[in-house]
Amino acid sequence: MDRRSIRWGAVIAASTLAFLPVLPGVALAATVTATPSSVAPGGAIDVTAVCTEQATSATLSGTSFGGPSQISMFPEVGTPVPGTFAVDVTIPSTTLPGTYDLSVTCSDGDSGLGTITVTPSGT
């Protein structure tokens, strides 16, 4: 499967949340995915976040893997789900192997976590 197919699968799965009833005082969490989910230091990932329809922007925190503290995400072009944002990120070559959180905050106040696994170079 290519990156776009995987991303669309995440968008479609997350869009089903729009049809669930919302209880007062309960915030929906944003869905955060990375493609690929494993990468060597210096490699690139595509991070997608599905917020609510009211979100007009989203920000990824890259501090867990040694990136910038605030990475602006961009509206996903051509997606059938409003509130979907994406950004391509290069993992710093100095990032050690391990699992790292991808924390996203949406402009509507929702937030979500995804993960990536940084593998040793050459694997």
Side-chain angles (χ1 to χ4, degrees):
M1 237 189 291
D2 65 13
R3 288 172 63 165
R4 187 166 282 300
S5 296
I6 293 170
R7 184 179 330 151
W8 277 102
V11 168
I12 290 167
S15 68
T16 59
L17 293 175
F19 298 105
L20 297 176
V22 177
L23 301 174
V26 177
L28 292 176
T31 302
V32 180
T33 57
T35 307
S37 60
S38 295
V39 64
I45 59 171
D46 180 52
V47 180
T48 302
V50 180
C51 305
T52 68
E53 291 182 12
Q54 292 75 31
T56 57
S57 64
T59 304
L60 168 68
S61 173
T63 57
S64 70
F65 58 83
S69 62
Q70 293 189 340
I71 302 168
S72 295
M73 300 182 77
F74 303 97
E76 187 78 326
V77 178
T79 181
V81 181
T84 302
F85 303 91
V87 65
D88 289 327
V89 177
T90 299
I91 304 301
S93 60
T94 56
T95 302
L96 297 175
T99 301
Y100 295 91
D101 287 335
L102 300 172
S103 176
V104 171
T105 304
C106 306
S107 63
D108 62 359
D110 284 347
S111 61
L113 282 178
T115 60
I116 57 163
T117 301
V118 176
T119 60
S121 295
T123 62

XYZ file of all heavy atoms in Angstrom:
845
model
N 0.833 -1.177 0.000
C 0.000 0.000 0.000
C 0.878 1.240 0.000
O 1.880 1.284 0.687
C -0.850 0.000 1.271
C -2.316 0.059 0.984
S -3.363 0.304 2.426
C -3.190 -1.217 3.297
N 0.474 2.250 -0.754
C 1.261 3.475 -0.781
C 0.848 4.396 0.367
O -0.139 4.162 1.056
C 1.131 4.183 -2.137
C -0.270 4.686 -2.441
O -1.117 4.724 -1.521
O -0.516 5.050 -3.600
N 1.629 5.459 0.569
C 1.411 6.376 1.689
C 0.030 7.008 1.639
O -0.634 7.164 2.647
C 2.474 7.476 1.693
C 3.830 6.960 2.104
C 4.884 7.982 1.933
N 4.670 9.138 2.773
C 5.582 10.049 3.016
N 6.779 9.924 2.489
N 5.327 11.075 3.766
N -0.445 7.377 0.433
C -1.745 8.026 0.311
C -2.869 7.065 0.704
O -3.806 7.446 1.380
C -1.971 8.552 -1.101
C -3.254 9.364 -1.166
C -3.401 10.192 -2.395
N -2.708 11.426 -2.534
C -2.782 12.493 -1.774
N -3.467 12.466 -0.682
N -2.150 13.595 -2.070
N -2.772 5.793 0.325
C -3.792 4.804 0.679
C -3.859 4.617 2.186
O -4.943 4.539 2.765
C -3.497 3.462 0.012
O -3.568 3.572 -1.377
N -2.706 4.533 2.826
C -2.673 4.373 4.283
C -3.265 5.609 4.948
O -4.047 5.515 5.883
C -1.241 4.097 4.768
C -0.781 2.727 4.260
C -1.156 4.163 6.288
C 0.680 2.447 4.457
N -2.892 6.798 4.458
C -3.399 8.043 5.032
C -4.921 8.104 4.888
O -5.628 8.442 5.808
C -2.748 9.241 4.358
C -3.179 10.527 5.001
C -2.576 11.780 4.424
N -1.263 11.628 3.879
C -0.796 12.362 2.891
N -1.531 13.302 2.346
N 0.413 12.202 2.438
N -5.462 7.764 3.702
C -6.908 7.793 3.489
C -7.598 6.808 4.414
O -8.691 7.083 4.913
C -7.253 7.510 2.031
C -7.155 8.737 1.196
C -6.147 9.075 0.352
C -8.068 9.831 1.159
N -6.386 10.296 -0.209
C -7.565 10.793 0.267
C -9.275 10.103 1.790
C -8.205 11.979 -0.012
C -9.921 11.287 1.510
C -9.391 12.208 0.626
N -6.991 5.659 4.642
C -7.582 4.691 5.566
C -7.725 5.280 6.952
O -8.751 5.110 7.617
N -6.711 6.009 7.409
C -6.767 6.650 8.729
C -7.833 7.740 8.749
O -8.570 7.893 9.725
C -5.410 7.240 9.097
N -7.941 8.485 7.658
C -8.944 9.561 7.579
C -10.342 8.976 7.614
O -11.214 9.456 8.335
C -8.730 10.408 6.299
C -9.908 11.330 6.051
C -7.447 11.209 6.411
N -10.589 7.923 6.861
C -11.917 7.317 6.819
C -12.273 6.717 8.179
O -13.386 6.899 8.672
C -11.989 6.259 5.701
C -11.939 6.973 4.339
C -13.245 5.412 5.825
C -11.702 6.063 3.166
N -11.321 6.037 8.803
C -11.581 5.462 10.128
C -11.903 6.555 11.140
O -12.828 6.435 11.938
C -10.381 4.645 10.595
N -11.150 7.631 11.103
C -11.376 8.714 12.056
C -12.676 9.454 11.771
O -13.302 9.991 12.678
C -10.204 9.680 12.033
N -13.107 9.482 10.511
C -14.321 10.221 10.169
C -15.553 9.597 10.796
O -16.568 10.268 10.981
C -14.486 10.330 8.654
O -14.766 9.060 8.104
N -15.490 8.328 11.147
C -16.640 7.697 11.786
C -16.908 8.305 13.160
O -18.024 8.239 13.658
C -16.438 6.177 11.930
O -15.268 5.932 12.703
C -16.321 5.513 10.573
N -15.900 8.938 13.760
C -16.104 9.612 15.037
C -17.098 10.755 14.925
O -17.755 11.112 15.893
C -14.773 10.157 15.585
C -13.746 9.121 16.004
C -12.443 9.809 16.402
C -14.268 8.277 17.135
N -17.234 11.328 13.742
C -18.147 12.452 13.555
C -19.593 12.041 13.772
O -20.445 12.886 14.046
C -17.970 13.028 12.152
N -19.893 10.758 13.668
C -21.267 10.303 13.807
C -21.590 9.797 15.209
O -22.713 9.400 15.472
C -21.555 9.211 12.772
C -21.403 9.719 11.365
C -20.291 9.381 10.611
C -22.351 10.562 10.817
C -20.148 9.856 9.324
C -22.211 11.050 9.530
C -21.103 10.697 8.782
N -20.635 9.801 16.098
C -20.873 9.371 17.467
C -21.445 10.513 18.290
O -21.051 11.664 18.117
C -19.559 8.890 18.116
C -18.909 7.665 17.476
C -17.579 7.387 18.163
C -19.819 6.461 17.571
N -22.368 10.235 19.201
C -22.894 11.318 20.034
C -21.806 11.843 20.965
O -20.956 11.095 21.438
C -24.015 10.641 20.828
C -23.703 9.184 20.798
C -22.945 8.938 19.522
N -21.837 13.141 21.212
C -20.854 13.766 22.089
C -21.532 14.111 23.405
O -22.567 14.764 23.426
C -20.265 15.040 21.447
C -19.299 15.710 22.391
C -19.596 14.695 20.127
N -20.968 13.663 24.496
C -21.493 13.974 25.804
C -20.964 15.317 26.256
O -19.809 15.655 25.990
C -21.080 12.886 26.806
C -21.553 11.469 26.474
C -20.941 10.478 27.459
C -23.064 11.387 26.494
N -21.777 16.114 26.952
C -21.300 17.416 27.434
C -20.052 17.253 28.293
O -19.973 16.366 29.131
C -22.469 17.931 28.275
C -23.665 17.180 27.780
C -23.154 15.849 27.327
N -19.069 18.105 28.050
C -17.842 18.098 28.845
C -16.841 17.031 28.440
O -15.806 16.890 29.068
N -17.146 16.244 27.404
C -16.228 15.192 26.956
C -15.633 15.617 25.616
O -16.349 15.806 24.645
C -16.957 13.837 26.812
C -16.002 12.785 26.272
C -17.544 13.400 28.139
N -14.331 15.789 25.585
C -13.654 16.196 24.351
C -13.263 14.966 23.545
O -12.850 13.955 24.112
C -12.418 17.018 24.674
N -13.435 15.057 22.251
C -12.971 13.980 21.379
C -11.472 14.145 21.159
O -10.981 15.255 21.047
C -13.688 14.032 20.031
C -15.165 13.711 20.042
C -15.748 13.891 18.654
C -15.399 12.287 20.522
N -10.780 13.061 21.098
C -9.343 13.118 20.849
C -9.089 13.131 19.347
O -9.799 12.491 18.584
C -8.653 11.920 21.489
N -8.083 13.858 18.946
C -7.664 13.862 17.550
C -6.970 12.527 17.255
O -6.317 11.951 18.118
C -6.709 15.022 17.294
N -7.133 12.057 16.043
C -6.465 10.837 15.603
C -5.167 11.233 14.911
O -5.177 12.049 13.993
C -7.360 10.055 14.620
O -8.587 9.756 15.272
C -6.684 8.774 14.179
N -4.047 10.666 15.359
C -2.725 11.010 14.816
C -2.075 9.742 14.282
O -1.972 8.746 14.997
C -1.833 11.655 15.898
C -0.469 12.003 15.328
C -2.513 12.882 16.501
N -1.635 9.792 13.010
C -0.952 8.648 12.412
C 0.325 9.113 11.717
O 0.427 10.254 11.284
C -1.840 7.922 11.384
O -2.246 8.858 10.388
C -3.058 7.307 12.026
N 1.288 8.207 11.639
C 2.545 8.478 10.927
C 2.739 7.402 9.871
O 2.492 6.226 10.114
C 3.721 8.468 11.894
N 3.184 7.840 8.695
C 3.464 6.920 7.599
C 4.840 7.230 7.041
O 5.064 8.374 6.647
C 2.410 7.072 6.479
O 1.110 6.950 7.061
C 2.608 6.021 5.414
N 5.769 6.311 7.052
C 5.680 5.001 7.679
C 5.747 5.136 9.201
O 6.143 6.173 9.724
C 6.901 4.266 7.133
C 7.905 5.347 6.863
C 7.092 6.541 6.434
N 5.402 4.076 9.893
C 5.409 4.128 11.356
C 6.792 3.832 11.936
O 7.024 4.075 13.115
C 4.382 3.161 11.930
O 4.672 1.837 11.513
N 7.695 3.317 11.115
C 9.088 3.071 11.520
C 10.006 3.735 10.510
O 9.771 3.662 9.307
C 9.394 1.571 11.548
O 8.635 0.933 12.539
N 11.067 4.353 11.027
C 11.979 5.092 10.161
C 13.363 5.139 10.803
O 13.481 5.147 12.033
C 11.431 6.525 9.905
C 11.368 7.328 11.189
C 12.218 7.251 8.841
N 14.390 5.155 9.992
C 15.760 5.312 10.487
C 16.041 6.798 10.696
O 15.387 7.655 10.080
C 16.746 4.730 9.483
N 16.991 7.147 11.565
C 17.354 8.550 11.728
C 17.702 9.164 10.369
O 18.333 8.531 9.532
C 18.589 8.494 12.633
C 18.446 7.213 13.386
C 17.801 6.254 12.410
N 17.225 10.380 10.133
C 17.434 11.055 8.861
C 16.343 10.777 7.849
O 16.275 11.419 6.801
N 15.451 9.834 8.162
C 14.349 9.492 7.266
C 13.166 10.424 7.440
O 13.081 11.187 8.400
N 12.237 10.352 6.503
C 11.059 11.227 6.522
C 9.801 10.431 6.837
O 9.676 9.263 6.471
C 10.911 11.927 5.182
N 8.881 11.091 7.537
C 7.559 10.533 7.814
C 6.513 11.564 7.424
O 6.794 12.758 7.349
C 7.381 10.150 9.306
C 7.567 11.372 10.220
C 8.302 9.013 9.691
C 7.196 11.123 11.674
N 5.310 11.092 7.171
C 4.170 11.958 6.925
C 3.247 11.801 8.123
O 2.793 10.694 8.412
C 3.456 11.544 5.638
C 2.261 12.425 5.335
O 2.433 13.658 5.317
O 1.160 11.880 5.127
N 3.004 12.887 8.852
C 2.125 12.856 10.016
C 0.786 13.445 9.616
O 0.722 14.540 9.047
C 2.724 13.643 11.204
C 1.783 13.599 12.405
C 4.095 13.092 11.568
N -0.289 12.703 9.908
C -1.648 13.156 9.616
C -2.427 13.228 10.917
O -2.331 12.329 11.757
C -2.355 12.178 8.654
O -1.585 12.069 7.459
C -3.750 12.656 8.308
N -3.197 14.297 11.088
C -4.064 14.459 12.250
C -5.479 14.736 11.774
O -5.686 15.553 10.877
C -3.585 15.607 13.129
N -6.432 14.027 12.359
C -7.839 14.277 12.067
C -8.439 14.880 13.329
O -8.574 14.210 14.351
C -8.579 12.993 11.651
C -10.043 13.306 11.356
C -7.920 12.355 10.443
N -8.753 16.171 13.240
C -9.368 16.914 14.335
C -10.873 16.973 14.057
O -11.363 16.325 13.142
C -8.786 18.328 14.390
S -6.967 18.385 14.523
N -11.609 17.774 14.808
C -13.024 17.969 14.505
C -13.164 18.926 13.329
O -12.202 19.592 12.932
C -13.792 18.554 15.707
O -13.344 19.885 15.938
C -13.611 17.698 16.952
N -14.358 19.001 12.778
C -14.616 19.886 11.637
C -14.360 21.352 11.974
O -14.100 22.159 11.083
C -16.062 19.736 11.164
C -16.342 18.411 10.529
C -17.773 18.315 10.023
O -18.476 19.340 9.968
O -18.182 17.199 9.675
N -14.444 21.719 13.237
C -14.261 23.109 13.645
C -12.792 23.536 13.660
O -12.493 24.726 13.710
C -14.876 23.361 15.033
C -16.387 23.274 15.070
C -16.901 21.835 15.014
O -16.256 20.912 15.498
N -18.064 21.651 14.408
N -11.878 22.602 13.626
C -10.452 22.944 13.675
C -10.029 23.634 12.380
O -10.377 23.190 11.288
C -9.609 21.695 13.905
N -9.279 24.703 12.527
C -8.773 25.435 11.363
C -7.263 25.267 11.204
O -6.700 25.684 10.201
C -9.109 26.932 11.477
O -8.559 27.441 12.704
C -10.611 27.157 11.456
N -6.610 24.679 12.210
C -5.171 24.435 12.140
C -4.795 23.360 13.162
O -5.591 23.009 14.033
C -4.379 25.722 12.423
O -4.613 26.168 13.740
N -3.573 22.859 13.022
C -3.049 21.869 13.964
C -1.541 22.044 14.044
O -0.897 22.472 13.077
C -3.413 20.459 13.533
N -0.989 21.708 15.210
C 0.442 21.843 15.450
C 0.988 20.547 16.035
O 0.423 19.989 16.970
C 0.718 23.004 16.423
O 0.133 24.198 15.900
C 2.206 23.227 16.615
N 2.094 20.080 15.474
C 2.789 18.885 15.942
C 3.963 19.312 16.810
O 4.711 20.222 16.444
C 3.297 18.080 14.744
C 4.296 16.950 15.009
C 3.636 15.809 15.773
C 4.892 16.453 13.702
N 4.141 18.671 17.955
C 5.325 18.901 18.782
C 6.363 17.850 18.421
O 6.108 16.652 18.515
C 4.991 18.795 20.265
O 6.189 18.856 21.023
N 7.540 18.307 18.006
C 8.598 17.389 17.604
C 9.671 17.199 18.659
O 10.686 16.553 18.398
N 9.467 17.749 19.856
C 10.527 17.695 20.866
C 10.856 16.278 21.319
O 11.992 16.008 21.685
C 10.172 18.555 22.092
O 8.921 18.123 22.624
C 10.096 20.029 21.735
N 9.897 15.357 21.278
C 10.184 14.005 21.767
C 11.263 13.327 20.931
O 12.074 12.571 21.454
C 8.909 13.150 21.783
O 8.492 12.844 20.476
N 11.290 13.599 19.616
C 12.275 12.957 18.748
C 13.405 13.897 18.334
O 14.196 13.585 17.454
C 11.616 12.331 17.504
C 10.829 13.298 16.651
C 11.450 14.090 15.706
C 9.459 13.402 16.811
C 10.724 14.972 14.921
C 8.723 14.270 16.025
C 9.359 15.060 15.078
N 13.522 15.049 19.001
C 14.620 15.971 18.739
C 14.336 16.993 17.662
O 15.249 17.662 17.179
N 13.072 17.153 17.292
C 12.682 18.141 16.285
C 12.245 19.444 16.921
O 12.341 19.620 18.140
N 11.734 20.370 16.117
C 11.249 21.653 16.629
C 10.068 21.459 17.584
O 9.315 20.489 17.469
C 10.795 22.405 15.375
C 11.447 21.707 14.227
C 11.657 20.284 14.658
N 9.889 22.408 18.499
C 8.812 22.284 19.473
C 7.439 22.489 18.840
O 6.454 21.916 19.305
C 9.005 23.263 20.632
O 8.976 24.596 20.159
N 7.348 23.291 17.795
C 6.068 23.518 17.128
C 6.244 23.407 15.619
O 6.972 24.195 15.014
C 5.495 24.881 17.484
C 5.090 24.993 18.938
C 4.324 26.284 19.201
O 4.399 27.231 18.442
N 3.578 26.285 20.287
N 5.571 22.422 15.041
C 5.614 22.205 13.604
C 4.196 22.410 13.078
O 3.283 21.647 13.431
C 6.110 20.783 13.272
C 7.500 20.550 13.881
C 6.115 20.560 11.763
C 7.954 19.100 13.855
N 4.002 23.448 12.271
C 2.673 23.725 11.722
C 2.281 22.638 10.734
O 3.067 22.237 9.880
C 2.666 25.075 11.006
O 2.902 26.115 11.922
N 1.039 22.183 10.870
C 0.495 21.201 9.941
C -0.387 21.950 8.935
O -0.871 23.044 9.220
C -0.292 20.138 10.708
C 0.577 19.394 11.712
S -0.293 18.090 12.595
C -0.316 16.818 11.327
N -0.598 21.348 7.771
C -1.325 22.012 6.695
C -2.611 21.258 6.376
O -2.644 20.029 6.477
C -0.440 22.096 5.449
C 0.852 22.803 5.732
C 2.007 22.089 6.015
C 0.908 24.186 5.764
C 3.197 22.735 6.316
C 2.097 24.843 6.066
C 3.234 24.120 6.339
N -3.668 21.986 5.994
C -4.916 21.300 5.642
C -4.660 20.279 4.534
O -3.924 20.548 3.585
C -5.823 22.417 5.136
C -5.277 23.664 5.764
C -3.784 23.440 5.869
N -5.222 19.104 4.702
C -5.067 18.037 3.721
C -5.921 18.369 2.503
O -7.125 18.540 2.617
C -5.480 16.709 4.344
C -5.204 15.530 3.489
C -3.749 15.112 3.518
O -2.846 15.949 3.624
O -3.516 13.917 3.429
N -5.299 18.503 1.355
C -5.997 18.871 0.132
C -6.751 17.664 -0.415
O -6.199 16.570 -0.498
C -4.995 19.401 -0.923
C -5.699 19.738 -2.220
C -4.254 20.615 -0.380
N -8.010 17.872 -0.765
C -8.798 16.822 -1.394
C -9.359 15.776 -0.449
O -9.916 14.785 -0.895
N -9.234 15.972 0.838
C -9.771 14.995 1.780
C -11.270 15.219 1.967
O -11.728 16.351 1.966
C -9.045 15.069 3.136
O -9.609 14.070 3.997
C -9.192 16.402 3.806
N -12.030 14.147 2.119
C -13.467 14.310 2.340
C -13.811 14.670 3.781
O -14.963 14.890 4.098
C -14.023 12.930 1.978
C -12.912 11.996 2.311
C -11.643 12.749 1.989
N -12.821 14.741 4.650
C -13.066 15.000 6.066
C -12.490 16.357 6.462
O -11.266 16.515 6.501
C -12.444 13.876 6.943
C -12.733 14.133 8.408
C -12.964 12.517 6.527
N -13.361 17.358 6.740
C -12.842 18.642 7.222
C -12.094 18.441 8.543
O -12.403 17.540 9.315
C -14.107 19.472 7.449
C -15.177 18.791 6.652
C -14.806 17.345 6.626
N -11.096 19.282 8.795
C -10.326 19.170 10.031
C -9.177 18.185 9.935
O -8.637 17.765 10.956
N -8.779 17.822 8.719
C -7.661 16.898 8.521
C -6.433 17.696 8.109
O -6.494 18.504 7.188
C -7.992 15.853 7.436
O -9.162 15.149 7.835
C -6.840 14.866 7.271
N -5.319 17.456 8.808
C -4.072 18.200 8.586
C -2.924 17.222 8.434
O -2.955 16.121 8.979
C -3.814 19.154 9.761
C -4.943 20.112 9.979
C -5.990 19.798 10.835
C -4.982 21.321 9.302
C -7.050 20.665 11.014
C -6.043 22.200 9.478
C -7.076 21.872 10.330
N -1.891 17.637 7.688
C -0.729 16.763 7.471
C 0.540 17.590 7.342
O 0.494 18.782 7.034
C -0.929 15.919 6.216
N 1.667 16.938 7.596
C 2.973 17.569 7.414
C 4.016 16.464 7.234
O 3.911 15.388 7.832
C 3.346 18.483 8.611
C 3.537 17.699 9.897
C 4.564 19.335 8.293
N 4.980 16.713 6.357
C 6.124 15.814 6.204
C 7.212 16.281 7.153
O 7.501 17.473 7.231
C 6.651 15.832 4.765
C 5.708 15.152 3.794
O 5.036 14.188 4.203
O 5.644 15.579 2.639
N 7.801 15.345 7.884
C 8.822 15.659 8.884
C 10.033 14.763 8.659
O 9.882 13.560 8.454
C 8.267 15.422 10.313
C 9.327 15.668 11.363
C 7.045 16.274 10.573
N 11.219 15.351 8.725
C 12.456 14.571 8.674
C 12.932 14.347 10.105
O 13.078 15.304 10.880
C 13.534 15.308 7.860
O 13.054 15.486 6.528
C 14.834 14.518 7.839
N 13.159 13.103 10.445
C 13.660 12.750 11.779
C 15.140 13.119 11.824
O 15.899 12.718 10.943
C 13.458 11.248 12.061
C 11.985 10.862 11.912
C 13.994 10.876 13.437
C 11.036 11.621 12.829
N 15.562 13.888 12.827
C 16.979 14.280 12.896
C 17.908 13.055 12.883
O 17.591 12.013 13.460
C 17.084 15.024 14.231
C 15.704 15.547 14.471
C 14.787 14.483 13.925
N 19.030 13.198 12.220
C 19.984 12.089 12.121
C 20.590 11.726 13.475
O 21.168 10.649 13.629
C 21.095 12.430 11.122
O 21.786 13.589 11.543
N 20.449 12.584 14.470
C 20.976 12.331 15.810
C 19.974 11.632 16.730
O 20.303 11.314 17.871
C 21.396 13.658 16.462
O 20.272 14.544 16.452
C 22.564 14.294 15.712
N 18.746 11.373 16.237
C 17.726 10.724 17.063
C 18.111 9.273 17.324
O 18.443 8.527 16.395
C 16.345 10.792 16.385
O 16.018 12.166 16.149
C 15.267 10.170 17.252
N 18.087 8.870 18.582
C 18.435 7.498 18.968
C 17.284 6.548 18.667
O 16.116 6.960 18.678
C 18.771 7.452 20.455
C 19.992 8.266 20.898
C 20.134 8.227 22.411
C 21.244 7.758 20.211
N 17.570 5.277 18.411
C 16.497 4.307 18.197
C 15.569 4.246 19.406
O 16.000 4.383 20.550
C 17.250 2.988 18.017
C 18.606 3.387 17.526
C 18.899 4.684 18.243
N 14.294 4.058 19.144
C 13.294 3.966 20.206
C 11.924 4.363 19.692
O 11.747 4.673 18.518
N 10.951 4.365 20.587
C 9.584 4.758 20.260
C 9.349 6.156 20.804
O 9.673 6.451 21.952
C 8.575 3.765 20.863
O 8.857 2.460 20.336
C 7.144 4.144 20.520
N 8.772 7.011 19.960
C 8.567 8.418 20.312
C 7.114 8.815 20.092
O 6.473 8.385 19.130
C 9.474 9.316 19.449
C 10.939 9.088 19.721
C 11.666 8.150 18.999
C 11.592 9.815 20.708
C 13.011 7.936 19.255
C 12.939 9.607 20.972
C 13.646 8.663 20.242
O 14.979 8.454 20.504
N 6.602 9.661 21.002
C 5.246 10.193 20.882
C 5.202 11.316 19.859
O 6.133 12.115 19.760
C 4.753 10.740 22.229
C 4.414 9.649 23.229
O 4.097 8.519 22.793
O 4.453 9.931 24.432
N 4.100 11.364 19.133
C 3.804 12.466 18.219
C 2.580 13.162 18.790
O 1.465 12.669 18.694
C 3.492 11.928 16.815
C 4.594 11.137 16.142
C 4.078 10.514 14.850
C 5.796 12.022 15.867
N 2.794 14.289 19.433
C 1.722 15.022 20.094
C 1.210 16.131 19.177
O 1.985 16.976 18.729
C 2.244 15.621 21.407
O 1.243 16.415 22.009
N -0.106 16.115 18.906
C -0.726 17.120 18.050
C -1.789 17.865 18.846
O -2.569 17.261 19.588
C -1.354 16.476 16.797
C -2.181 17.482 16.016
C -0.267 15.880 15.907
N -1.805 19.189 18.682
C -2.835 20.036 19.270
C -3.594 20.715 18.141
O -2.979 21.320 17.257
C -2.222 21.094 20.205
O -1.443 20.422 21.207
C -3.302 21.928 20.867
N -4.913 20.602 18.167
C -5.774 21.212 17.155
C -6.260 22.570 17.654
O -6.358 22.794 18.864
C -6.970 20.317 16.878
S -6.534 18.618 16.432
N -6.588 23.462 16.732
C -7.024 24.813 17.107
C -8.346 24.811 17.864
O -8.663 25.781 18.553
C -7.146 25.697 15.871
O -8.147 25.188 14.999
N -9.118 23.725 17.785
C -10.389 23.646 18.501
C -10.220 23.140 19.935
O -11.195 22.945 20.645
C -11.375 22.770 17.746
C -10.890 21.333 17.616
O -9.782 21.020 18.085
O -11.625 20.523 17.031
N -8.977 22.919 20.357
C -8.700 22.467 21.715
C -8.495 20.970 21.844
O -8.048 20.495 22.880
N -8.845 20.212 20.819
C -8.600 18.770 20.859
C -7.111 18.493 20.726
O -6.351 19.321 20.219
C -9.326 18.060 19.715
C -10.815 17.907 19.959
O -11.259 18.120 21.099
O -11.533 17.573 19.007
N -6.703 17.325 21.163
C -5.316 16.911 21.003
C -5.292 15.402 20.840
O -6.281 14.722 21.115
C -4.466 17.348 22.200
O -4.961 16.742 23.377
N -4.176 14.906 20.383
C -4.043 13.473 20.201
C -2.588 13.060 20.167
O -1.694 13.886 19.991
N -2.365 11.772 20.357
C -1.016 11.204 20.341
C -0.930 10.085 19.310
O -1.853 9.275 19.195
C -0.644 10.610 21.695
C -0.237 11.534 22.816
C 0.034 10.743 24.085
C 0.986 12.343 22.437
N 0.158 10.069 18.601
C 0.519 8.951 17.755
C 1.922 8.545 18.156
O 2.508 9.141 19.061
N 2.472 7.536 17.517
C 3.848 7.127 17.821
C 4.601 6.807 16.529
O 3.995 6.466 15.514
C 3.901 5.884 18.731
O 3.244 4.802 18.089
C 3.286 6.156 20.079
N 5.898 6.920 16.623
C 6.791 6.434 15.580
C 7.872 5.618 16.269
O 8.182 5.823 17.440
C 7.462 7.559 14.745
C 8.238 8.513 15.646
C 6.460 8.257 13.887
C 9.234 9.362 14.890
N 8.441 4.706 15.515
C 9.575 3.937 15.998
C 10.774 4.315 15.140
O 10.721 4.214 13.910
C 9.302 2.425 15.900
O 8.154 2.122 16.674
C 10.494 1.627 16.394
N 11.817 4.790 15.799
C 13.056 5.098 15.105
C 13.940 3.867 15.234
O 14.211 3.384 16.337
C 13.746 6.356 15.690
C 15.081 6.610 15.009
C 12.832 7.566 15.549
N 14.330 3.320 14.079
C 15.119 2.096 14.037
C 16.591 2.432 13.893
O 16.940 3.546 13.490
C 14.677 1.226 12.842
O 14.878 1.970 11.643
C 13.222 0.836 12.960
N 17.480 1.508 14.227
C 18.898 1.761 14.005
C 19.157 2.027 12.521
O 18.463 1.488 11.661
C 19.580 0.466 14.451
C 18.598 -0.172 15.390
C 17.240 0.219 14.860
N 20.133 2.846 12.213
C 20.474 3.144 10.819
C 20.775 1.857 10.075
O 21.410 0.947 10.604
C 21.692 4.057 10.754
O 21.391 5.302 11.309
N 20.260 1.793 8.844
C 20.544 0.644 7.995
C 19.629 -0.537 8.209
O 19.832 -1.588 7.607
N 18.602 -0.407 9.072
C 17.664 -1.545 9.244
C 16.305 -1.183 8.741
O 15.967 -0.080 8.517
C 17.537 -1.966 10.717
O 17.003 -0.869 11.466
C 18.829 -2.445 11.280
